[in-house]
Amino acid sequence: MNINWYYFASPTTFYRLAGRIAPWAFVLAVITGAAGLYLGLVVAPTDAQQGEVYRVIFIHVPAAWMSMFLYFVMACYGALSLTFNTRLGAMMARSLAPTGAMFTFVSLWTGSFWGRPTWGTYWVWDARLTSELVLLFLYFGFIALANAFEDPRRGDRASALLALIGLVNLPIIYFSVLWWNTLHQGSSVSLRGTSMHVTMLWGMLAMAFSFWMYSVGTAFTRVRAIILERERRTRWVRGLVAGAHS
Amino acid sequence: MSHAFYLWMSYGATAIVLVAEIVLLRMRRAHAMKLVEEEKDLEAQD
């Protein structure tokens, strides 16, 4: 199958495509989210050591995965915009940042509410927690830098560069539990298998898929607003708004 | 503190930030539409 990527790189085309995909992404997010919550809160057995509080992992782990995955995708879009000077690449990077920051916050917040009853503290300056906090600051830095210039194209370039530099933090987060002696435990799920009960695993995977679809929905909805803001002087956007009111 | 407190604080805060993001997105979309309208009005005046 031959896909014309340049066709989809046009804001005009992508605006319509994102408008079609976003509602379905939200619907999938709600369905899989409900399934994940049911599996995680009702079906999954109580943990023998941690009791009921382990159920925080059904949002903590998927949120942590999404925080890193969205940063990676955001940096890829940043690289695309820097290399090929694509407008849409920069717009997509901007649209992913707030959702990525939100999931990083959720990961840190839920982690601390799991840590208190399990470790006896809300926070510890452990390598995994600290590098995840650095990720949150990278997202904040990206958003601040992108909006710091009057000319949005300059903001796009500066923030894309920051996103690329910040990529170095992702392997640090992932391997921190192996490289350093940390309080945070190692991965329970990997490509080689899992040490979890199968219901727990499916609950977590359903929640991860739900968060992924939510991210697609929010990123596509946000990029449509960004396209409208930036292309508001073009004829096609005016026609669009006139059509929406007629 | 019972385990329910930690679970509610985690799930509750997550629900709040997810809903807040959706509300902010809707506000941003409405603001973008307003900007386009204003641009159109300005041009019509010229």
Side-chain angles (χ1 to χ4, degrees):
Chain A
M1 195 170 64
N2 235 350
I3 299 173
N4 186 353
W5 295 107
Y6 290 103
Y7 175 71
F8 289 109
S10 144
T12 321
T13 317
F14 197 77
Y15 181 87
R16 293 189 177 94
L17 182 71
R20 283 198 202 113
I21 295 173
W24 289 105
F26 281 125
V27 168
L28 277 174
V30 170
I31 293 170
T32 51
L37 286 176
Y38 178 72
L39 284 172
L41 298 178
V42 180
V43 181
T46 306
D47 187 82
Q49 288 178 321
Q50 299 174 35
E52 298 296 343
V53 81
Y54 93 93
R55 295 184 199 277
V56 170
I57 66 156
F58 294 108
I59 39 175
H60 172 69
V61 177
W65 285 345
M66 288 315 298
S67 71
M68 292 191 285
F69 176 67
L70 291 182
Y71 191 91
F72 178 74
V73 178
M74 185 182 87
C76 288
Y77 275 117
L80 265 179
S81 80
L82 278 179
T83 316
F84 299 108
N85 203 22
T86 56
R87 284 179 296 161
L88 190 63
M91 292 183 205
M92 272 307 292
R94 278 178 186 250
S95 71
L96 284 162
T99 307
M102 186 273 290
F103 277 123
T104 313
F105 168 77
V106 167
S107 159
L108 289 166
W109 178 271
T110 55
S112 71
F113 277 93
W114 176 83
R116 183 69 182 92
T118 315
W119 298 337
T121 178
Y122 284 107
W123 182 262
V124 60
W125 291 100
D126 152 286
R128 171 61 69 84
L129 276 69
T130 309
S131 52
E132 185 74 9
L133 183 65
V134 169
L135 184 70
L136 182 64
F137 291 149
L138 279 167
Y139 274 120
F140 286 162
F142 179 93
I143 296 166
L145 201 56
N147 295 301
F149 298 87
E150 209 165 303
D151 175 8
R153 299 289 290 161
R154 287 184 68 196
D156 289 345
R157 284 191 290 274
S159 55
L161 202 63
L162 176 70
L164 286 173
I165 294 167
L167 263 183
V168 76
N169 191 43
L170 294 189
I172 294 176
I173 298 173
Y174 189 78
F175 293 110
S176 58
V177 288
L178 302 174
W179 291 345
W180 292 284
N181 187 17
T182 62
L183 193 58
H184 196 286
Q185 77 271 31
S187 304
S188 305
V189 184
S190 73
L191 292 174
R192 277 166 286 160
T194 177
S195 54
M196 297 172 77
H197 187 278
V198 69
T199 345
M200 295 176 186
L201 178 69
W202 278 109
M204 218 164 74
L205 291 178
M207 288 304 288
F209 187 78
S210 169
F211 282 180
W212 182 22
M213 287 301 107
Y214 170 86
S215 305
V216 171
T218 51
F220 280 8
T221 307
R222 191 175 291 111
V223 83
R224 276 163 60 86
I226 295 172
I227 290 172
L228 284 181
E229 284 164 13
R230 289 212 185 171
E231 307 269 311
R232 63 180 184 272
R233 290 184 183 88
T234 61
R235 196 174 291 169
W236 77 269
V237 166
R238 287 178 195 186
L240 208 76
V241 174
H245 289 284
S246 63
Chain B
M1 212 85 73
S2 77
H3 284 182
F5 168 76
Y6 300 106
L7 279 173
W8 275 110
M9 285 303 283
S10 300
Y11 280 84
T14 305
I16 288 169
V17 291
L18 290 177
V19 170
E21 190 180 18
I22 299 285
V23 171
L24 287 171
L25 267 177
R26 290 184 72 89
M27 284 167 65
R28 183 160 188 181
R29 163 103 182 144
H31 177 70
M33 292 295 247
K34 202 174 145 199
L35 281 179
V36 180
E37 291 280 7
E38 281 173 6
E39 197 72 32
K40 268 176 74 177
D41 290 347
L42 273 177
E43 195 164 273
Q45 281 172 17
D46 289 341

